Amino acid sequence: MSDGSTLRMKATATSDAVHGHVRWAPGRSLWIGGMTLSALAFAPFHVTLGSVLLFLITSGITLCAGHSVGLHRLLIHRSFVAPRWLERLLVYLGTLVGMAGPLGMVRLHDMRDWAQRQPDCHPLHAHRAPMLKDAWWQMHCRLDLDQPPRFVPEPYLRDDRFLRWLEASWMAQQLPWALLFWSIGGLPWLVWGVPVRVAAGVTGHWLVGHITHRTGPQDWVIDGAGVQGHDLPAAALITFGEAWHGNHHAFPESARLGILPGQHDPGWWLLLALRRIGWVSALNEPAHLPPRSGLRRVGDVGSSTGKVAQA
C-alpha cells in the first residue's frame, strides 16, 4: 500500500493496516475487568445520594475537562494552546478516567487514526466485529499488526518527565482518591467514586466508538478512507461533544466538535470559558484549518472542503 503516514505514525510502502493478530492484554483486561466486577458487585448495595452525586461530578470533570479537552483536543490534536501548568492539570484529569496513561492514549489513538485513513484496515480498528466481540477486543485485547507503521512522538511528548510519570503510574493514580473518598463517605463513596466511575467511563467510551464508526447521521465523507465517522446526537451532552464523531473525522484538529447549528458541545463551552479568563488561546475551528484532500459534504459531488470549513 502507499505510504499514508500521519503526524506521528511513519509508514513505509510495506506498512499494512489490515493484517495482524488480536491478543489478550492481561494488564489492561484485569484492570477494567476488576473495576467492572467491583462496580457490579458492590454498587447496587451501597447507593446513597452523596455517592451518586460524587460519581456524576467526578465523571463530568474527568471526562470533559480531562479526557475530551485535555487528552483528546489538546495533547493528541494540539487544537488549542494552554500554559504548561493547565495542560498538565487537564492531562492528569484525563488519566483519572482510567483508560490508559497519556502516552498510551496518544499511541492508541494515532494507530487507530492511521489505520482508519487507509483504504482498508483490521476489523478491530474499524469496530466491524459484533458488539460483544468488539467490546472484548477493545477493552481486553491489543492488536499486533504484522507490518505496523513506526510511532514517532514529538519531543514534548517523548521527553516530558511528568507525562512519563503518569504513564508509569496511571493505574495507581486512583489510589489517593480512593483513600480520600473512603475517609469521607466510606464504602459508598469509594465504590461510586472509583470502580463505578472508571467502569462507566471506559465502557461508555467503547460503546460510543462502536456506534459512531458503524452507523448514524453523517454530514461529511472522506473519499479514500476505509472508515468513516458518524454522529450520535443523543449522546452529545453526556459525551461532552465527543459524539459528533463524523465532524471529528472531517476536522480532527478542530477544538470545536459540534460545528453545525444545534450541535451541543460542552467541551467547546468549557474552552470558551477558559479563553474568556485568558487561560487558553488559539482555539482551532474548521475555518482555521487548511483544506483536507478528499473531504466533502454528504450529498455533494466533488470535494467541498473550502466551503464546509466556513460552517
Side-chain angles (χ1 to χ4, degrees):
M1 64 167 37
S2 62
D3 186 324
S5 294
T6 60
L7 176 63
R8 302 184 187 102
M9 288 295 170
K10 307 303 181 183
T12 67
T14 60
S15 295
D16 182 2
V18 177
H19 299 96
H21 298 85
V22 178
R23 294 185 172 91
W24 181 52
R28 182 182 182 188
S29 179
L30 293 173
W31 167 257
I32 186 55
M35 288 290 177
T36 303
L37 290 175
S38 296
L40 293 174
F42 294 106
F45 307 103
H46 297 88
V47 181
T48 65
L49 177 60
S51 64
V52 174
L53 288 175
L54 176 69
F55 162 74
L56 294 174
I57 292 170
T58 54
S59 294
I61 292 173
T62 56
L63 287 169
C64 183
H67 176 77
S68 180
V69 173
L71 283 176
H72 194 197
R73 306 188 206 204
L74 179 56
L75 192 69
I76 292 173
H77 289 294
R78 312 308 296 181
S79 64
F80 65 94
V81 174
R84 180 63 63 86
W85 69 267
L86 180 59
E87 177 172 345
R88 288 182 169 180
L89 174 60
L90 295 173
V91 169
Y92 169 73
L93 292 173
T95 302
L96 289 179
V97 172
M99 295 182 194
L103 301 179
M105 286 295 297
V106 173
R107 183 172 190 139
L108 285 170
H109 177 283
D110 282 25
M111 178 62 80
R112 184 184 305 274
D113 181 62
W114 170 80
Q116 291 178 351
R117 291 176 184 232
Q118 309 309 308
D120 193 13
C121 68
H122 190 280
L124 182 145
H125 282 151
H127 289 273
R128 292 197 189 106
M131 180 172 283
L132 291 181
K133 184 176 183 179
D134 190 56
W136 171 253
W137 276 5
Q138 304 294 338
M139 292 188 284
H140 297 271
C141 300
R142 71 176 190 271
L143 171 62
D144 294 332
L145 290 174
D146 296 339
Q147 297 290 336
R150 187 165 54 97
F151 178 57
V152 184
E154 303 94 318
Y156 81 86
L157 289 172
R158 184 191 64 226
D159 301 332
D160 190 290
R161 293 182 179 180
F162 179 75
L163 294 180
R164 293 206 305 268
W165 172 68
L166 279 183
E167 185 66 25
S169 63
W170 66 271
M171 294 183 187
Q173 295 301 325
Q174 306 293 338
L175 183 58
W177 294 100
L179 294 174
L180 177 63
F181 297 155
W182 170 273
S183 68
I184 296 174
L187 193 57
W189 275 44
L190 171 62
V191 170
W192 284 83
V194 179
V196 175
R197 173 180 55 78
V198 171
V202 175
T203 304
H205 181 268
W206 157 73
L207 181 59
V208 171
H210 178 82
I211 295 172
T212 57
H213 287 103
R214 294 168 65 98
T215 187
Q218 207 174 15
D219 289 306
W220 324 104
V221 170
I222 304 169
D223 293 330
V227 180
Q228 304 292 332
H230 300 261
D231 296 326
L232 185 59
L237 290 175
I238 62 172
T239 61
F240 306 98
E242 294 289 329
W244 302 115
H245 203 65
N247 294 344
H248 180 61
H249 270 236
F251 307 103
E253 287 79 30
S254 175
R256 184 176 184 176
L257 303 182
I259 61 176
L260 297 177
Q263 294 184 339
H264 302 305
D265 183 357
W268 175 249
W269 301 340
L270 174 60
L271 284 171
L272 291 179
L274 293 174
R275 184 173 67 179
R276 182 177 293 273
I277 61 177
W279 285 6
V280 301
S281 61
L283 273 62
N284 283 343
E285 296 187 59
H288 307 148
L289 302 174
R292 180 172 180 179
S293 176
L295 175 64
R296 59 183 172 86
R297 188 76 178 263
V298 170
D300 289 350
V301 176
S303 174
S304 58
T305 307
K307 290 183 288 184
V308 300
Q310 305 297 326

